[in-house]
């Protein structure tokens, strides 16, 4: 492998140092009580237990959830190793700690740990990699950090990007930084792209074709665990026969439209219930206040409040329960799609056997949306008015709801296999035990 040019990374590092006040302001807010802020500088406040270590980096809660099958497979395939999962966000940290606690409750050995990813300063990256000394570094989706990749290369740590995703919009932004991206991609030993289009965009940025494979999306390998399925059934039973729909991973400007659609739905179904789950926990209070302003009787899950016959909105203001809440509904709308965010994971409700609805903004999941569309398992709406009309139509048509649910499950089942292909590729970098 030829040595990458150094000057793009030097310029990048200089810019990062110049922007340090802004970077630290953001980091200071992204805090979890379980972790020290000094981890952002590669200073592991509590040194991980003795290795050997595997390292997986996921940006936030969505990536951690999507990576759960991979986490379980790594722990099973490398029984001598411990696995460190790093995140950038506090919500991601909370999700990893929930996985750790779930393993502890089942009596599993404590082989899973969490730390915050160090900021990509050269010194912090070098310090983190030297202290952890992983035998394999895995980055999920589009997490390309030039100094961390360089630190891994210099210590001889093999690196891989799995579930590699690069949307057309992200590609346009990265293309302006092509020398830096080419330098970063040159450090990678393997890129497992989730689609041919993603692979082509990575190659256009400088990723060698000889180290790139298309393996499919790990999101299709999501299998709801028995606990989540059982919780969904209990919640569904308790909610009774009233029409229930869930809107998950919602964003500012979208909640208002969803509440408008729900108000119109309740003109036809006065006892209809919306389970509303904002994407970010810092918005829980604001969304609760918005519901009250719209005159919706509200119950909050975090306070153990239960929706009665008058309740219009059940606010899912907890972490790590979205999959379970999807499974308790008759219909599921996936947020980030009525506003220009690019959508979120359409496969989560599909895997729970719930019909999937979405808005038009699907840039981040265009390939998944197309697969669901071809399988007749996706309902698309333009705006809140069309969403309300669609909800009314689907609540009237139980047979169509059943068809959509079965079609979604079939699409998920037909496209599984990325996990096995990903694990086979990783074994080329680090043989199994």
């Amino acid at each position: 492998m030829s040595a990458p040019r150094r000057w793009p990374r030097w310029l990048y590092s200089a810019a990062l140092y110049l922007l340090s006040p802004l970077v630290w302001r953001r980091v200071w807010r992204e805090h979890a009580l379980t972790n020290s802020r000094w981890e952002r500088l590669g200073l592991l406040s509590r040194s991980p237990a003795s290795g050997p270590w595997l390292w997986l980096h996921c940006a936030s809660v969505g990536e951690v959830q999507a990576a759960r099958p991979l986490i379980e497979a790594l722990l099973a395939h490398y029984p001598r190793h411990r696995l460190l999962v790093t995140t950038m966000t506090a919500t991601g940290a909370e999700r990893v700690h929930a996985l750790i606690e779930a393993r502890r409750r089942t009596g599993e050995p404590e082989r899973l740990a969490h730390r915050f990813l160090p900021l990509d300063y050269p010194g912090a990256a070098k310090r983190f990699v030297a202290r952890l000394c992983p035998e394999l570094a895995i980055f999920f989706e589009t997490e390309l950090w030039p100094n961390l990749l360089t630190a891994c290369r210099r210590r001889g740590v093999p690196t891989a990007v799995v579930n590699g995703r690069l949307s057309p919009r992200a590609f346009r932004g990265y293309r302006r930084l092509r020398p830096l991206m080419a330098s970063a991609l040159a450090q990678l030993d393997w890129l497992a792209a989730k689609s041919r289009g993603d692979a082509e965009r990575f190659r256009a940025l400088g990723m060698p074709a000889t180290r790139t494979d298309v393996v499919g999306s790990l999101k299709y390998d999501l299998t709801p665990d028995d606990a989540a399925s059982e919780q969904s059934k209990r919640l569904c039973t308790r909610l009774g026969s009233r029409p229930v729909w869930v809107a998950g991973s919602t964003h500012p400007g979208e909640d208002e439209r969803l509440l408008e659609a729900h108000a119109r739905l309740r003109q036809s179904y006065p006892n209809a219930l919306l389970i509303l789950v904002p994407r970010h926990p810092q918005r829980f209070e604001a969304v609760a206040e918005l519901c009250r302003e719209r005159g919706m009787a509200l119950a909050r899950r975090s306070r153990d409040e239960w929706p009665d016959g008058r309740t219009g909105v059940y606010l899912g203001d907890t972490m790590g329960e979205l999959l379970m809440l999807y499974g308790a509904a008759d219909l599921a709308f996936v947020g980030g799609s009525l506003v220009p965010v690019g959508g979120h994971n359409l496969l989560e409700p599909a895997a729970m056997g719930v019909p999937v609805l979405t808005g038009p903004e699907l840039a981040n999941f265009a390939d998944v949306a197309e697969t669901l569309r071809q399988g007749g398992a996706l309902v698309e709406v333009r705006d809140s008015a069309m969403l309300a009309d669609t909800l009314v139509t689907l609540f009237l048509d139980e047979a169509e709801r059943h068809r959509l649910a079965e079609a979604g499950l079939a699409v998920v089942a037909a496209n599984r296999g990325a996990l096995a292909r990903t694990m086979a590729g990783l074994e080329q970098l680090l043989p199994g035990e």
Side-chain angles (χ1 to χ4, degrees), residues 61 91 94-95 98 231 235 248-249 275-285 299-305 314-325:
V61 62
T91 55
E94 291 170 4
R95 187 66 195 131
Q231 279 185 291
L235 179 57
S249 296
I275 303 176
L276 185 58
V277 189
R279 175 73 173 179
H280 299 113
Q282 58 266 37
R283 298 188 54 246
F284 288 162
E285 291 299 328
R300 300 183 63 168
R301 185 164 177 82
S302 65
R303 298 180 181 178
D304 293 324
E305 298 171 350
Y314 188 30
L315 187 63
D317 52 351
T318 54
M319 294 300 298
E321 292 194 311
L322 179 57
L323 201 64
M324 182 275 292
L325 293 173

Side-chain angles (χ1 to χ4, degrees), residues 37 63 166 179 202 229 245 251 258 281 291-292 315 330 341 360 395 429 432:
R37 289 188 174 95
E63 290 75 17
L166 193 61
F202 275 111
S229 297
W245 67 293
H251 288 258
L258 294 167
C291 292
R292 297 188 192 98
L315 187 63
D330 301 299
V341 169
F395 277 122
L429 304 179

Side-chain angles (χ1 to χ4, degrees), residues 17-301:
Y17 281 123
L18 288 173
L19 293 171
S20 288
L22 296 176
V23 172
W24 271 102
R25 181 181 178 186
R26 172 66 183 271
V27 164
W28 203 258
R29 294 198 303 266
E30 282 289 345
H31 180 54
L33 295 177
T34 50
N35 298 73
S36 166
R37 289 188 174 95
W38 291 111
E39 292 175 9
R40 306 289 192 172
L41 292 178
L43 298 169
L44 303 181
S45 56
R46 300 180 307 282
S47 295
S50 59
W53 281 94
L54 307 175
W55 168 32
L56 171 65
H57 174 62
C58 302
S60 189
V61 62
E63 290 75 17
V64 173
Q65 183 66 22
R68 199 187 75 193
L70 178 62
I71 291 171
E72 293 170 353
L74 288 169
L75 289 169
H77 194 67
Y78 296 96
R80 288 194 309 108
H81 287 70
R82 297 173 183 270
L83 175 62
L84 180 73
V85 179
T86 55
T87 64
M88 286 294 292
T89 68
T91 55
E94 291 170 4
R95 187 66 195 131
V96 179
H97 283 288
L99 293 177
I100 294 170
E101 182 57 33
R103 287 178 59 82
R104 185 177 294 127
R105 285 197 300 268
T106 60
E108 295 283 347
E110 295 194 10
R111 296 169 50 224
L112 180 62
H114 170 268
R115 296 291 186 273
F116 278 125
L117 186 76
L119 298 170
D120 202 31
Y121 301 116
K126 181 179 178 181
R127 192 158 42 242
F128 174 84
V129 174
R131 188 162 297 190
L132 182 65
C133 203
E135 294 191 359
L136 177 63
I138 307 166
F139 299 85
F140 202 81
E141 292 194 347
T142 323
E143 290 294 296
L144 300 172
W145 297 100
N147 287 319
L148 277 164
L149 288 170
T150 298
C152 287
R153 176 183 170 84
R154 288 177 175 173
R155 292 194 70 89
V157 178
T159 55
V161 167
V162 300
N163 211 53
R165 176 173 69 89
L166 193 61
S167 69
R169 183 170 63 180
F171 171 70
R172 288 191 292 272
Y174 281 127
R175 190 166 53 184
R176 301 188 186 99
L177 303 170
R178 191 183 184 285
L180 175 64
M181 298 314 300
S183 173
L185 289 167
Q187 317 277 357
L188 282 177
D189 292 287
W190 186 51
L191 170 70
K194 70 182 184 65
S195 73
R196 190 173 302 279
D198 291 295
E200 290 172 354
R201 287 186 284 272
F202 275 111
R203 285 198 291 266
L205 290 179
M207 183 66 200
T210 55
R211 299 201 299 274
T212 303
D213 289 305
V214 178
V215 303
S217 175
L218 284 169
K219 291 181 170 64
Y220 288 103
D221 286 273
L222 173 65
T223 302
D225 59 44
D226 293 340
S229 297
E230 185 58 35
Q231 279 185 291
S232 292
K233 290 177 184 176
R234 287 201 300 267
L235 179 57
C236 185
T237 299
R238 192 170 178 188
L239 289 173
S241 60
R242 66 193 298 185
V244 178
W245 67 293
V246 59
S249 296
T250 65
H251 288 258
E254 190 168 45
D255 300 289
E256 293 85 348
R257 302 178 197 185
L258 294 167
L259 290 171
E260 288 171 10
H262 188 53
R264 292 185 58 172
L265 172 65
R266 282 168 66 88
Q267 292 174 10
S268 300
Y269 292 94
N271 66 335
L273 179 69
L274 166 61
I275 303 176
L276 185 58
V277 189
R279 175 73 173 179
H280 299 113
Q282 58 266 37
R283 298 188 54 246
F284 288 162
E285 291 299 328
V287 174
E289 184 58 33
L290 177 64
C291 292
R292 297 188 192 98
E293 290 174 1
R294 295 298 177 98
M296 289 285 181
L298 178 70
R300 300 183 63 168
R301 185 164 177 82

